[in-house]
Amino acid sequence: MADHLAPRDEADLVEIVRDARAKRTRLAVEGRGTRAALGRPIETEATLSLAGLTGVTLYEPAELVMTALPGTPLSEIRARLAENGQELAFDPIEHAALFGHEPGSTTIAAAFAINASGPRRPKIGAARDHLLGFRAVNGLGESFKSGGRVMKNVTGFDLSKLVCGSFGTLAVLSEVTFKVMPRAATTETLAVLGLPDDDAGRLMREASGLPQEVDAAAHLPASVAGPFAGTSTTLIRLDGPPVSVASREADLVARWRDRGEIEILGEDASRRLWDDLREARPIVAAEGPIWRLSLAPSDGPRVVAAIRAADLPLEAWVYDWAGGLVWLAFAGRAGPLAARLRAIVAEAGGHATLIRADEDERRAEAPFHPQPAPLAALAARVARAFDPDGILSPGRMTAIPTKEA
Amino acid sequence: MSLTMPAPEPEILAARDDLIARLREIVKPANVVHLDRELAPWECDALTMYRQKPLVVVLPETVAEVAAVMRLAAELNVKVVPRGAGTSLSGGSLPLADGILLAMGKFNRILEVDFENRVARVQPGVTNLAITNAVAHRGFYYAPDPSSQIACSIGGNVAENAGGVHCLKYGLTTNNVLGVEMVLIGGEVVRLGGKHLDSEGYDLIGLVTGSEGLLGVITEVTVRILQKPETARGVLLGFDDVKAGADCVAAIIAAGIIPGGMEMMDKAAIAAAEAFRPCGYPSDAEGLVIVELDGTAAEVDHLVGEVAKIAEANGATSVRVSTSEAERLGFWFGRKNAFPAVGAIGPDYLCMDGTIPRGRLADVLTRMDELAAKHGLRVANVFHAGDGNLHPLILYDAAIPGDTEKAEAFGADILRLCVEVGGVLTGEHGVGVEKRDLMGEMFDEVDLGQQERVKCAFDANGRLNPGKVFPTLHRCAEMGFMHVRSGDLPFPEIPRF
Amino acid sequence: MQTNFLPHLLADPDVALAEKILRKCVHCGFCTATCPTFLELGDERDSPRGRIYLIKEMLETGRPADAETVTHLDRCLTCLACMTTCPSGVDYMHLVDHARAHVAKTYERPLADRLFRRMLRLVIPNPSIFRLALIGANLARPFARWLPAKFAGLFALAPKRLPPPSWVDAAQTIPAKGARRRRVALLSGCAQTALDTAINEATVRLLTRLGVEVVVAEGMGCCGALEHHMGETDAAHARAAKNIRAWTREIDGGGLDAIVVNTSGCGTTVKDYGHMFRNDARLAEDAARVSGLARDVSELLADLDLAAALVARPRLRVAYHSACSMQHGQKITTLPMELLAKAGFEVVPIPESHVCCGSAGTYNILQPDLATRLRDRKVANIATVAPDVIAAGNVGCMVQIGTGTPTPIVHTVELLDWATGGPIPDGLEALTASENASA
């Protein structure tokens, strides 16, 4: 059984990493350990948990900024923000439905480390777009900082972008400072019923380019579970002051009246629906592997059609980001279909990530989309710039081809 | 000029003729500029305080030419400084006496506009405004809009992570770039991202954006284009005291309103802008706030009312709401031309670019006046009030001996003040050479060491735009980058330079 | 920007002025964005900012001009788009004028170039010689490919059909129709009187119809712009002086309300006579008076009652091309469009309207490659708005654009003359016939 290391403060964290480096101990870096099944499985001598480093250390609502320790659960962050009518606008996915943990239990550091986002990603950005600055400990056991607490900052390299989506392989976050935004006074959703994928794709793309400022656009085919099971449903989200939502809604209903039956979902139903979409809940019931595709929006329906034509065992699929994000649930095992799926996606110019699969399958199939050689080499050099000995979650993102120490 | 740049390497200077001959084999001979009298136009960018003629200027026309130049530079161990439109205010493309200046001006074509996916794929020399102009007929625009948008190139925008007046709501360049093609120091061409969100592996686009030409030469950019809001209206607020203006800005944000843009100008800047071309700014105001609200007509009308109420509660002496598009653009005209307009009264100016926590605005302005008195120079202030990004314009006269040094010292004091109150050295202009030696005010050795090791991952010999951003140059081996243990290089299969 | 002039050079008032202009440039680079040659070539040396630096290097030491600097100065169209863009108020026009004079004084061009330029200076400002040359060009056209490449531009521009000299260009006073409201002198122009006599005829018809007495002054001739832009200051001043004297006689005699110019390139120069002669004790005052009275024809028309004279005409879709000398040189931007709209035409703006068409005086003859690129760019922009007719206020642009598009191009006054009862402009007959048929 691997050691479980849980620092009480940053100094402690520095000690742990330095010690690990000296002893050549590899560390599996985690927040609260809810998503160990995301990415490549790794074997390490110890687990480094940030669960003990919690708390909001700075919150200035008028400046739209908050600083928190890495292990702070999202539930705590959300509660503090709600007191001032604010929110984490990037709406990070928690994989709660996918991996079966309590919503709100994941940490703020993890939201950044996996570059989490939600259905509003095309409009409002992902975690990377909201991290203003951070403190972290690199693989040399050095504590360093980058960025700041202000909205606009180009002082030095933007390492915030690098740590976002690095899955703990570059540095261990010890403090994060991020942008928070006012929570919209209202949210409502237009549901256009009965559109096939292609038409739904066109509608979503059209919606994204309208001055009515659509906040999110998703499509549930008839086959997926949930409140709309049996009817394909295209969902258009509108956030804002009531006067604004009402006028945009009226414009859009008038515009799309002839496309299909339109239902309006009120505030509560809307919020529930988009929370579920963020968590990919409509497809989690499937038994087999779950993939996530990132594509140009117009390629979403096209790629799904190609996958279906290729006779891969596709069970269910959902479009988000106006077609730019596709969740796929397959029957059977990931192995036999990975190469064919990736070939189809690569042809379109996007990437495919294996989100949920058995451990051995995730070990065998690179969960993250493989990169061209020059880029992979560059990424490896970047990793070495932070963690020259490869002690921080080695192999989480890509297989490490080195000899074992 | 008190700036120290890396000492020119005598062997490179000696081999100049050979280099020129080799470059003329790669690009059209007319695109290699080497006569001393022809190099002056490239001796600086928009930061004129520091000037240096380059060893040679190359104007490539294709990606293959860029790659070949980079390979040649690697072979001969010559430094390379990339340059876009030459509008940097931090000296990001200040040439080196022993370096090739790679001028990307000929990469000026828009390659593709994909309205369906709301992206445009462009060459790096295309100007920021040209992107908007190319998509405006369908009601789209490119959101980041630095004041120099008419002339600055998108390649330079990516290199500097350029901002503008709409950042609070629409983000900086980094939030609006989806794909980048770049040539690495060894001549390899890599493509990062594309038309999709979420790049594969590490977010190298995010890293490259704002890396000031230290990591690679950008040869293509894919940007997001946005639908123009249905309506945008400007509100022009006058205050008889700058603090009241600052408080008003804070109150607007605290009320949950995120304006498309929110700008502030002080009396000196108002006067300069009005002198350039009258745009109806209240001439008696001590401070001016321009608020732009955009969205649907109903939403904008609602917000304009809210902002006017907040402004009155915060002591605004004048409130003007634009009633036409021409009037709204008129509100912006003076602000957009404020820098060079101040130049007209300067005669020279040094434009600073610190960002501070918004709440400290009034305090910082008061202390800046004290600093102005201490240094005996005038200062005009324009700032992106919504995000706390200050642009103090220090007026000086380069013809007066000692004035330049005074301006530099004043500027440094202003930036120290920004850092002291919890802000940063630069909000959007970049570090370049201008703020390079102040990096220590904000970062310690370890912080900088981490950034320098990232630089080493891209450019192990420090040949790409050296002398910028980092106050001291370390050799990468010294940084522990080529980490060797028991005689074995880790990851021996990974190609090294 | 900082300058380092040798102190003794600054004793020359022209150099001192150049230094003052240079000091205003803050090197922001905004001008590069609207400079046609930078848009085409992407080379800093072919941008206003780059040229300013090249000029600075040359003038600071007073050294003779060199081939490279001359190349980049020659490529400048003097369209002055940079001056419209410049927020620091850099007077590029007078800086480049001075630099060109310095080039003319200190640089010996290759023999062929010298002879060619001398030929242009001899021919173009002299209508009778120019007319003969154009006839000659038409006769020689079949042999064009055996002539030096330099002549290509010239051949391209020579119209295939040449009008005979017009009565309107002879020295005379043409009375107003009805009550006289104004008395003005008209600059007949040089090339214009050979290339397109319809413009002056339309101008005189239109003005007299609106109650203006038009004087074609004895002794008036080419405004001098052509030589001025070639840096031949003395020759340019000699021509300007002749005009100043001719008009001064009229001002002191019958009196003048305005000196009307219907070619905006010439208008920019006449408006600059005051500056050109500022250090000339004998002519400074008269030159300033002349410049003060100079008006583009559109400026005069704005003061007259056009509406009262309108007759019914088909509502053509007119793309208005703003000549650089009009919009950047004289800062007349929307006025001609307003006049056309008032006259009942549908006026559409042309995208990238600030970018030069490549005509620029003799530029299309001296720099045919770049001029053609710019013409094609202009023509493509015009095509996007699909007009029935193109209107412009400068004969040079009309000839230049006309070589690249089948769409008819006429002078703004020709349309206004037609709209107030004059004859239909050449080239529009077919168009209006079909318009009438469909109406």
Side-chain angles (χ1 to χ4, degrees), chain B residues 33 35 37-38 40 42-46 48 51 53 59 83 85-87 105-106 108 148 150-151 276 340 347 397, chain C residues 2 23 26-30 33 39 41-45 49-50 53-54 57 63 66 68 72 85-88:
Chain B
V33 186
L35 294 174
R37 57 178 177 261
E38 283 197 278
W42 284 281
E43 71 179 13
C44 64
D45 44 32
T48 57
R51 294 183 295 276
K53 282 183 186 169
L59 297 142
R83 171 178 160 124
T87 57
K106 289 184 183 285
N108 57 6
S148 58
I150 185 173
F276 172 53
D397 187 345
Chain C
Q2 201 174 355
R23 287 283 290 131
V26 297
H27 214 254
C28 67
F30 283 22
L39 288 175
L41 301 172
D43 184 329
E44 184 81 17
R45 293 169 297 174
R49 183 173 65 172
Y53 256 58
L54 292 170
E57 286 272 299
R63 69 170 164 80
D66 56 88
E68 292 75 26
H72 299 296
T85 311
C86 177
S88 303

Side-chain angles (χ1 to χ4, degrees), chain C residues 135-160:
Chain C
I135 294 167
N138 272 334
L139 295 175
R141 202 184 295 273
F143 313 104
R145 61 197 167 110
W146 288 292
L147 287 167
K150 277 188 186 314
F151 288 84
L154 206 51
F155 280 110
L157 294 171
K160 308 229 167 26

Side-chain angles (χ1 to χ4, degrees), chain C residues 90-109:
Chain C
V90 174
D91 184 358
Y92 178 81
M93 179 171 93
H94 289 123
L95 182 66
V96 80
D97 280 350
H98 177 68
R100 286 189 170 132
H102 184 80
V103 168
K105 265 188 285 190
T106 62
Y107 178 73
E108 189 169 32
R109 292 176 183 275

Side-chain angles (χ1 to χ4, degrees), chain A residues 24 62-63 122 128 145 209 294, chain B residues 197 203 224 227 359 447 485:
Chain A
R24 311 193 68 182
E63 308 241 343
R128 75 184 286 278
K145 66 174 178 298
S294 179
Chain B
L197 297 161
D203 186 356
R224 295 150 60 96
Q227 179 72 35
D447 303 334
R485 188 164 49 205

Side-chain angles (χ1 to χ4, degrees), chain B residues 95-125:
Chain B
L96 293 167
D98 61 344
I100 296 170
L101 188 75
L102 196 59
M104 300 296 285
K106 289 184 183 285
F107 281 73
N108 57 6
R109 283 184 308 124
I110 291 178
L111 301 172
E112 182 194 358
V113 177
D114 179 349
F115 286 106
E116 198 172 28
N117 290 308
R118 301 183 314 288
V119 296
R121 204 159 54 81
V122 303
Q123 291 193 319

Side-chain angles (χ1 to χ4, degrees), chain A residues 27 31 46 114 249 275 357 393:
Chain A
L27 304 169
I114 69 165
E249 197 173 270
D275 282 351
S393 296

Side-chain angles (χ1 to χ4, degrees), chain A residues 60-100:
Chain A
E60 294 194 11
E63 308 241 343
L64 306 178
V65 65
M66 179 180 266
T67 302
L69 296 181
T72 315
L74 288 189
S75 54
E76 185 180 333
I77 304 261
R78 291 198 183 114
R80 284 295 301 279
L81 291 171
E83 289 166 16
N84 289 284
Q86 295 186 330
E87 64 175 358
L88 282 178
F90 63 97
D91 198 12
I93 180 172
E94 293 198 75
H95 299 89
L98 283 156
F99 297 129

Side-chain angles (χ1 to χ4, degrees), chain B residues 479-497:
Chain B
M479 304 287 305
F481 185 66
M482 297 293 278
H483 188 80
V484 180
R485 188 164 49 205
S486 344
D488 281 337
L489 284 167
F491 319 127
E493 68 296 333
I494 292 171
R496 289 191 171 72
F497 300 117

